[in-house]
Amino acid sequence: EMLACDWSSDVCSSDLEFASRSRMPRVLFTFRGLIAPVLTPFNNDSTRTLNLSVIPQYADHLAKKKVNGVLVNGTSGEGTCMSTSERKLVAEAWATAVKTTKQHLMIQIGGTNLPDVLELAKHAESIKADSILCLPELYFKPSTSEQLKDYLRLVSLAAPNTPLLYYHIPIFTNVHIHMGQFLESLDEEEIPTFVGIKFTSSDLQEAARALRANDRFVVFLGNNELMDAACALGMNSFIITSLSMFPELTVDAFTAGNAGDLLKARKTQQRLTDVLTTIGKYGTFIETMKAAMSLLTNINPGPPRAPQQPLSAEAVALMAKDLKNLGFSVNL
């Protein structure tokens, strides 16, 4: 069992000493390409209960659009709006679905208290997730690379056979550790299961340094609007929500950029950015993405959970009109 940790001391000595002694073998992580951070489907009832029946259809929808990986319980999946038991149920439903679709399953386990983070890490490993993604501690925030390493070591110990990635999203976490410097500072055996980061920021200078820090680590960009620029830097992996609503457009932008056809990538990226900007004017990111998915696909993710609110019928109608004007077919 893990011992209780006083994070203000920056280290849980018993666990970290064990991690050092155990010399856990490095895990293999070969996935590169596109991962969709999936929305969590809720019923339109008073408490927004889980609607797990949608998940097999959702997985099939993405697989048919050449999306070979999914991220579950992330920001787009409203992971921090669910209880630990609900997050496990969603993860289990996706683990069952991807047995058929053969998609890479990444599960986001952070955004809650440390004991629950460790429990979610163990659970993800028990259902044979392909990888786990973890936010930093959100209250006693790490301010140095060493503090972040200490936290990730504890997560690694809880799932010693599963590739671990760090979720860098400073606009939400207010954790501003430089990812290039962080990756450069990691020794081979410090966190044996650590394989890379999800980089959700518009700072491409920092992203480029992270990309070149160590070829052992993968860097997934989490920005829908910078694929063309990121491909020009040499990035080849992305975790972006637009894959659920606009899979063809997103895949086309990625394919062109990855092939070095920067003119086509720029043109396709501009169309994607234009439509994301258009729907984004009607509300917050998840509120508008859920509405757009219902309009554009046969997947109904339901409403967002509180404190977010579903868009009004009037807003949805205006969004539908805008999407039609941009040349998209919509469900009404």
Side-chain angles (χ1 to χ4, degrees):
E1 290 291 322
M2 295 284 185
L3 298 181
C5 174
D6 176 9
W7 189 246
S8 63
S9 69
D10 299 333
V11 63
C12 298
S13 58
S14 297
D15 289 324
L16 299 186
E17 287 170 9
F18 171 76
S20 176
R21 292 196 309 269
S22 65
R23 294 293 179 181
M24 296 178 293
R26 285 197 57 81
V27 298
L28 184 65
F29 185 85
T30 59
F31 186 95
R32 299 294 185 274
L34 297 173
I35 291 179
V38 291
L39 308 173
T40 297
F42 297 121
N43 290 303
N44 192 17
D45 52 22
S46 60
T47 57
R48 306 296 194 235
T49 54
L50 296 175
N51 186 5
L52 302 179
S53 64
V54 173
I55 289 174
Q57 180 189 13
Y58 196 166
D60 187 60
H61 160 75
L62 292 170
K64 287 178 176 175
K65 301 297 183 180
K66 303 178 182 178
V67 180
N68 299 322
V70 294
L71 167 61
V72 176
N73 294 338
T75 302
S76 299
E78 301 173 80
T80 57
C81 297
M82 291 185 279
S83 67
T84 297
S85 59
E86 286 177 319
R87 290 172 72 162
K88 288 180 179 180
L89 289 171
V90 174
E92 289 166 7
W94 276 101
T96 299
V98 301
K99 288 178 182 176
T100 299
T101 58
K102 309 302 181 187
Q103 290 158 309
H104 182 99
L105 176 63
M106 180 184 291
I107 299 175
Q108 202 288 116
I109 59 168
T112 183
N113 61 78
L114 180 57
D116 283 357
V117 171
L118 301 182
E119 183 179 339
L120 287 167
K122 292 175 183 177
H123 177 261
E125 180 156 296
S126 75
I127 62 173
K128 304 202 182 312
D130 296 298
S131 58
I132 55 178
L133 177 71
C134 190
L135 288 160
E137 163 64 41
L138 297 182
Y139 189 83
F140 298 108
K141 302 177 189 292
S143 58
T144 67
S145 289
E146 289 305 314
Q147 290 174 350
L148 180 56
K149 289 177 195 177
D150 288 344
Y151 188 83
L152 293 175
R153 283 191 193 101
L154 295 174
V155 178
S156 179
L157 277 170
N161 302 301
T162 306
L164 168 66
L165 297 97
Y166 170 63
Y167 190 177
H168 177 69
I169 182 167
I171 192 172
F172 285 158
T173 65
N174 203 31
V175 173
H176 294 278
I177 296 169
H178 191 284
M179 285 295 99
Q181 295 173 359
F182 173 67
L183 294 180
E184 289 166 356
S185 73
L186 276 167
D187 293 333
E188 181 77 21
E189 296 295 334
E190 280 193 278
I191 311 172
T193 62
F194 184 79
V195 297
I197 62 173
K198 180 188 178 193
F199 185 90
T200 303
S201 167
S202 59
D203 188 342
L204 288 185
Q205 183 179 19
E206 181 181 351
R209 183 166 170 185
L211 185 67
R212 299 184 177 102
N214 193 318
D215 59 12
R216 291 190 293 116
F217 303 130
V218 61
V219 177
F220 285 93
L221 185 70
N223 188 304
N224 295 277
E225 300 180 16
L226 291 174
M227 274 193 299
D228 57 337
C231 284
L233 289 173
M235 299 187 79
N236 64 357
S237 297
F238 300 84
I239 300 176
I240 40 182
T241 307
S242 59
L243 282 163
S244 285
M245 303 86 209
F246 306 101
E248 294 93 348
L249 199 54
T250 308
V251 170
D252 284 351
F254 167 76
T255 303
N258 212 32
D261 187 348
L262 298 184
L263 185 62
K264 182 179 179 181
R266 190 179 308 123
K267 183 178 179 180
T268 313
Q269 176 71 74
Q270 188 59 58
R271 177 159 169 74
L272 179 61
T273 299
D274 288 346
V275 69
L276 291 172
T277 301
T278 297
I279 66 176
K281 68 186 180 184
Y282 293 105
T284 67
F285 183 75
I286 295 169
E287 292 169 349
T288 55
M289 291 294 107
K290 282 201 154 181
M293 188 158 189
S294 294
L295 288 170
L296 293 164
T297 75
N298 62 349
I299 309 299
N300 180 11
R305 264 199 177 170
Q308 300 181 105
Q309 297 296 323
L311 300 187
S312 66
E314 293 78 11
V316 172
L318 289 170
M319 182 189 291
K321 182 178 179 180
D322 284 344
L323 288 167
K324 282 184 178 179
N325 290 338
L326 288 170
F328 293 92
S329 297
V330 298
N331 306 315
L332 278 179

PDB file of all heavy atoms in Angstrom, residues 214-235:
ATOM      1  N   ASN A 214      14.485  15.008 -26.227  1.00  0.00           N
ATOM      2  CA  ASN A 214      14.931  13.624 -26.076  1.00  0.00           C
ATOM      3  C   ASN A 214      14.073  12.761 -26.982  1.00  0.00           C
ATOM      4  O   ASN A 214      12.849  12.762 -26.850  1.00  0.00           O
ATOM      5  CB  ASN A 214      14.779  13.177 -24.616  1.00  0.00           C
ATOM      6  CG  ASN A 214      15.501  11.876 -24.331  1.00  0.00           C
ATOM      7  OD1 ASN A 214      15.462  10.939 -25.124  1.00  0.00           O
ATOM      8  ND2 ASN A 214      16.176  11.823 -23.195  1.00  0.00           N
ATOM      9  N   ASP A 215      14.697  12.039 -27.889  1.00  0.00           N
ATOM     10  CA  ASP A 215      13.916  11.271 -28.863  1.00  0.00           C
ATOM     11  C   ASP A 215      13.219  10.066 -28.238  1.00  0.00           C
ATOM     12  O   ASP A 215      12.479   9.351 -28.907  1.00  0.00           O
ATOM     13  CB  ASP A 215      14.778  10.847 -30.053  1.00  0.00           C
ATOM     14  CG  ASP A 215      15.971   9.990 -29.657  1.00  0.00           C
ATOM     15  OD1 ASP A 215      16.030   9.527 -28.498  1.00  0.00           O
ATOM     16  OD2 ASP A 215      16.852   9.783 -30.519  1.00  0.00           O
ATOM     17  N   ARG A 216      13.424   9.823 -26.939  1.00  0.00           N
ATOM     18  CA  ARG A 216      12.677   8.760 -26.250  1.00  0.00           C
ATOM     19  C   ARG A 216      11.234   9.171 -25.981  1.00  0.00           C
ATOM     20  O   ARG A 216      10.379   8.316 -25.732  1.00  0.00           O
ATOM     21  CB  ARG A 216      13.341   8.419 -24.907  1.00  0.00           C
ATOM     22  CG  ARG A 216      14.678   7.738 -25.018  1.00  0.00           C
ATOM     23  CD  ARG A 216      15.136   7.229 -23.647  1.00  0.00           C
ATOM     24  NE  ARG A 216      15.432   8.307 -22.703  1.00  0.00           N
ATOM     25  CZ  ARG A 216      14.760   8.514 -21.579  1.00  0.00           C
ATOM     26  NH1 ARG A 216      13.742   7.742 -21.252  1.00  0.00           N
ATOM     27  NH2 ARG A 216      15.115   9.492 -20.762  1.00  0.00           N
ATOM     28  N   PHE A 217      10.952  10.464 -26.018  1.00  0.00           N
ATOM     29  CA  PHE A 217       9.643  10.952 -25.607  1.00  0.00           C
ATOM     30  C   PHE A 217       8.821  11.439 -26.794  1.00  0.00           C
ATOM     31  O   PHE A 217       9.345  12.078 -27.711  1.00  0.00           O
ATOM     32  CB  PHE A 217       9.801  12.097 -24.608  1.00  0.00           C
ATOM     33  CG  PHE A 217      10.599  11.728 -23.388  1.00  0.00           C
ATOM     34  CD1 PHE A 217      11.645  12.524 -22.954  1.00  0.00           C
ATOM     35  CD2 PHE A 217      10.304  10.567 -22.681  1.00  0.00           C
ATOM     36  CE1 PHE A 217      12.377  12.186 -21.831  1.00  0.00           C
ATOM     37  CE2 PHE A 217      11.032  10.216 -21.556  1.00  0.00           C
ATOM     38  CZ  PHE A 217      12.076  11.025 -21.128  1.00  0.00           C
ATOM     39  N   VAL A 218       7.524  11.149 -26.757  1.00  0.00           N
ATOM     40  CA  VAL A 218       6.593  11.654 -27.755  1.00  0.00           C
ATOM     41  C   VAL A 218       5.948  12.926 -27.224  1.00  0.00           C
ATOM     42  O   VAL A 218       5.713  13.072 -26.024  1.00  0.00           O
ATOM     43  CB  VAL A 218       5.518  10.593 -28.091  1.00  0.00           C
ATOM     44  CG1 VAL A 218       4.698  10.233 -26.860  1.00  0.00           C
ATOM     45  CG2 VAL A 218       4.605  11.074 -29.208  1.00  0.00           C
ATOM     46  N   VAL A 219       5.688  13.857 -28.129  1.00  0.00           N
ATOM     47  CA  VAL A 219       4.981  15.086 -27.783  1.00  0.00           C
ATOM     48  C   VAL A 219       3.716  15.142 -28.625  1.00  0.00           C
ATOM     49  O   VAL A 219       3.778  15.253 -29.854  1.00  0.00           O
ATOM     50  CB  VAL A 219       5.843  16.340 -28.034  1.00  0.00           C
ATOM     51  CG1 VAL A 219       5.048  17.605 -27.728  1.00  0.00           C
ATOM     52  CG2 VAL A 219       7.114  16.297 -27.188  1.00  0.00           C
ATOM     53  N   PHE A 220       2.561  15.043 -27.971  1.00  0.00           N
ATOM     54  CA  PHE A 220       1.270  15.200 -28.641  1.00  0.00           C
ATOM     55  C   PHE A 220       0.829  16.650 -28.493  1.00  0.00           C
ATOM     56  O   PHE A 220       0.708  17.143 -27.365  1.00  0.00           O
ATOM     57  CB  PHE A 220       0.210  14.311 -27.993  1.00  0.00           C
ATOM     58  CG  PHE A 220       0.315  12.847 -28.303  1.00  0.00           C
ATOM     59  CD1 PHE A 220       1.033  12.004 -27.458  1.00  0.00           C
ATOM     60  CD2 PHE A 220      -0.306  12.301 -29.416  1.00  0.00           C
ATOM     61  CE1 PHE A 220       1.120  10.639 -27.718  1.00  0.00           C
ATOM     62  CE2 PHE A 220      -0.221  10.951 -29.691  1.00  0.00           C
ATOM     63  CZ  PHE A 220       0.492  10.112 -28.845  1.00  0.00           C
ATOM     64  N   LEU A 221       0.581  17.325 -29.603  1.00  0.00           N
ATOM     65  CA  LEU A 221       0.044  18.678 -29.519  1.00  0.00           C
ATOM     66  C   LEU A 221      -1.455  18.597 -29.280  1.00  0.00           C
ATOM     67  O   LEU A 221      -2.160  17.823 -29.931  1.00  0.00           O
ATOM     68  CB  LEU A 221       0.325  19.465 -30.800  1.00  0.00           C
ATOM     69  CG  LEU A 221      -0.092  20.940 -30.744  1.00  0.00           C
ATOM     70  CD1 LEU A 221       0.818  21.721 -29.804  1.00  0.00           C
ATOM     71  CD2 LEU A 221      -0.076  21.574 -32.134  1.00  0.00           C
ATOM     72  N   GLY A 222      -1.958  19.406 -28.354  1.00  0.00           N
ATOM     73  CA  GLY A 222      -3.374  19.417 -28.044  1.00  0.00           C
ATOM     74  C   GLY A 222      -4.056  20.691 -28.478  1.00  0.00           C
ATOM     75  O   GLY A 222      -4.926  21.191 -27.778  1.00  0.00           O
ATOM     76  N   ASN A 223      -3.673  21.226 -29.628  1.00  0.00           N
ATOM     77  CA  ASN A 223      -4.240  22.483 -30.125  1.00  0.00           C
ATOM     78  C   ASN A 223      -4.846  22.248 -31.505  1.00  0.00           C
ATOM     79  O   ASN A 223      -4.145  21.852 -32.445  1.00  0.00           O
ATOM     80  CB  ASN A 223      -3.147  23.558 -30.178  1.00  0.00           C
ATOM     81  CG  ASN A 223      -3.694  24.936 -30.498  1.00  0.00           C
ATOM     82  OD1 ASN A 223      -4.354  25.128 -31.508  1.00  0.00           O
ATOM     83  ND2 ASN A 223      -3.412  25.914 -29.646  1.00  0.00           N
ATOM     84  N   ASN A 224      -6.152  22.498 -31.642  1.00  0.00           N
ATOM     85  CA  ASN A 224      -6.861  22.238 -32.893  1.00  0.00           C
ATOM     86  C   ASN A 224      -6.429  23.137 -34.048  1.00  0.00           C
ATOM     87  O   ASN A 224      -6.669  22.796 -35.209  1.00  0.00           O
ATOM     88  CB  ASN A 224      -8.373  22.448 -32.687  1.00  0.00           C
ATOM     89  CG  ASN A 224      -8.987  21.464 -31.728  1.00  0.00           C
ATOM     90  OD1 ASN A 224      -9.328  20.354 -32.095  1.00  0.00           O
ATOM     91  ND2 ASN A 224      -9.136  21.878 -30.475  1.00  0.00           N
ATOM     92  N   GLU A 225      -5.831  24.288 -33.732  1.00  0.00           N
ATOM     93  CA  GLU A 225      -5.650  25.314 -34.749  1.00  0.00           C
ATOM     94  C   GLU A 225      -4.199  25.512 -35.179  1.00  0.00           C
ATOM     95  O   GLU A 225      -3.900  26.448 -35.928  1.00  0.00           O
ATOM     96  CB  GLU A 225      -6.241  26.637 -34.245  1.00  0.00           C
ATOM     97  CG  GLU A 225      -7.732  26.504 -33.941  1.00  0.00           C
ATOM     98  CD  GLU A 225      -8.368  27.789 -33.445  1.00  0.00           C
ATOM     99  OE1 GLU A 225      -7.747  28.859 -33.610  1.00  0.00           O
ATOM    100  OE2 GLU A 225      -9.478  27.723 -32.902  1.00  0.00           O
ATOM    101  N   LEU A 226      -3.302  24.632 -34.750  1.00  0.00           N
ATOM    102  CA  LEU A 226      -1.886  24.822 -35.076  1.00  0.00           C
ATOM    103  C   LEU A 226      -1.250  23.583 -35.705  1.00  0.00           C
ATOM    104  O   LEU A 226      -0.036  23.430 -35.684  1.00  0.00           O
ATOM    105  CB  LEU A 226      -1.110  25.206 -33.813  1.00  0.00           C
ATOM    106  CG  LEU A 226      -1.401  26.588 -33.233  1.00  0.00           C
ATOM    107  CD1 LEU A 226      -0.681  26.768 -31.902  1.00  0.00           C
ATOM    108  CD2 LEU A 226      -0.994  27.688 -34.207  1.00  0.00           C
ATOM    109  N   MET A 227      -2.064  22.706 -36.270  1.00  0.00           N
ATOM    110  CA  MET A 227      -1.504  21.488 -36.842  1.00  0.00           C
ATOM    111  C   MET A 227      -0.523  21.771 -37.971  1.00  0.00           C
ATOM    112  O   MET A 227       0.525  21.142 -38.073  1.00  0.00           O
ATOM    113  CB  MET A 227      -2.611  20.568 -37.356  1.00  0.00           C
ATOM    114  CG  MET A 227      -3.191  19.663 -36.313  1.00  0.00           C
ATOM    115  SD  MET A 227      -4.194  18.373 -37.063  1.00  0.00           S
ATOM    116  CE  MET A 227      -5.432  19.363 -37.880  1.00  0.00           C
ATOM    117  N   ASP A 228      -0.864  22.696 -38.859  1.00  0.00           N
ATOM    118  CA  ASP A 228       0.014  22.974 -40.000  1.00  0.00           C
ATOM    119  C   ASP A 228       1.365  23.503 -39.530  1.00  0.00           C
ATOM    120  O   ASP A 228       2.422  23.056 -39.997  1.00  0.00           O
ATOM    121  CB  ASP A 228      -0.647  23.957 -40.977  1.00  0.00           C
ATOM    122  CG  ASP A 228      -1.055  25.274 -40.324  1.00  0.00           C
ATOM    123  OD1 ASP A 228      -1.248  25.321 -39.094  1.00  0.00           O
ATOM    124  OD2 ASP A 228      -1.198  26.268 -41.073  1.00  0.00           O
ATOM    125  N   ALA A 229       1.340  24.435 -38.581  1.00  0.00           N
ATOM    126  CA  ALA A 229       2.592  24.991 -38.054  1.00  0.00           C
ATOM    127  C   ALA A 229       3.383  23.926 -37.307  1.00  0.00           C
ATOM    128  O   ALA A 229       4.613  23.844 -37.417  1.00  0.00           O
ATOM    129  CB  ALA A 229       2.297  26.176 -37.140  1.00  0.00           C
ATOM    130  N   ALA A 230       2.684  23.094 -36.533  1.00  0.00           N
ATOM    131  CA  ALA A 230       3.364  22.057 -35.761  1.00  0.00           C
ATOM    132  C   ALA A 230       4.002  21.014 -36.676  1.00  0.00           C
ATOM    133  O   ALA A 230       5.114  20.540 -36.414  1.00  0.00           O
ATOM    134  CB  ALA A 230       2.377  21.390 -34.807  1.00  0.00           C
ATOM    135  N   CYS A 231       3.307  20.642 -37.732  1.00  0.00           N
ATOM    136  CA  CYS A 231       3.888  19.697 -38.696  1.00  0.00           C
ATOM    137  C   CYS A 231       5.152  20.267 -39.330  1.00  0.00           C
ATOM    138  O   CYS A 231       6.126  19.540 -39.565  1.00  0.00           O
ATOM    139  CB  CYS A 231       2.864  19.344 -39.781  1.00  0.00           C
ATOM    140  SG  CYS A 231       1.578  18.191 -39.254  1.00  0.00           S
ATOM    141  N   ALA A 232       5.147  21.569 -39.589  1.00  0.00           N
ATOM    142  CA  ALA A 232       6.338  22.205 -40.152  1.00  0.00           C
ATOM    143  C   ALA A 232       7.521  22.122 -39.192  1.00  0.00           C
ATOM    144  O   ALA A 232       8.679  22.101 -39.621  1.00  0.00           O
ATOM    145  CB  ALA A 232       6.036  23.662 -40.497  1.00  0.00           C
ATOM    146  N   LEU A 233       7.235  22.043 -37.883  1.00  0.00           N
ATOM    147  CA  LEU A 233       8.291  21.888 -36.877  1.00  0.00           C
ATOM    148  C   LEU A 233       8.765  20.453 -36.746  1.00  0.00           C
ATOM    149  O   LEU A 233       9.754  20.180 -36.075  1.00  0.00           O
ATOM    150  CB  LEU A 233       7.785  22.363 -35.510  1.00  0.00           C
ATOM    151  CG  LEU A 233       7.575  23.863 -35.314  1.00  0.00           C
ATOM    152  CD1 LEU A 233       6.913  24.114 -33.965  1.00  0.00           C
ATOM    153  CD2 LEU A 233       8.899  24.614 -35.406  1.00  0.00           C
ATOM    154  N   GLY A 234       8.021  19.525 -37.345  1.00  0.00           N
ATOM    155  CA  GLY A 234       8.379  18.114 -37.258  1.00  0.00           C
ATOM    156  C   GLY A 234       7.513  17.300 -36.324  1.00  0.00           C
ATOM    157  O   GLY A 234       7.795  16.124 -36.092  1.00  0.00           O
ATOM    158  N   MET A 235       6.456  17.897 -35.788  1.00  0.00           N
ATOM    159  CA  MET A 235       5.561  17.144 -34.903  1.00  0.00           C
ATOM    160  C   MET A 235       4.706  16.198 -35.738  1.00  0.00           C
ATOM    161  O   MET A 235       4.233  16.559 -36.819  1.00  0.00           O
ATOM    162  CB  MET A 235       4.674  18.092 -34.090  1.00  0.00           C
ATOM    163  CG  MET A 235       5.464  19.021 -33.190  1.00  0.00           C
ATOM    164  SD  MET A 235       4.428  20.005 -32.077  1.00  0.00           S
ATOM    165  CE  MET A 235       4.073  18.787 -30.818  1.00  0.00           C
TER     166      MET A 235
END
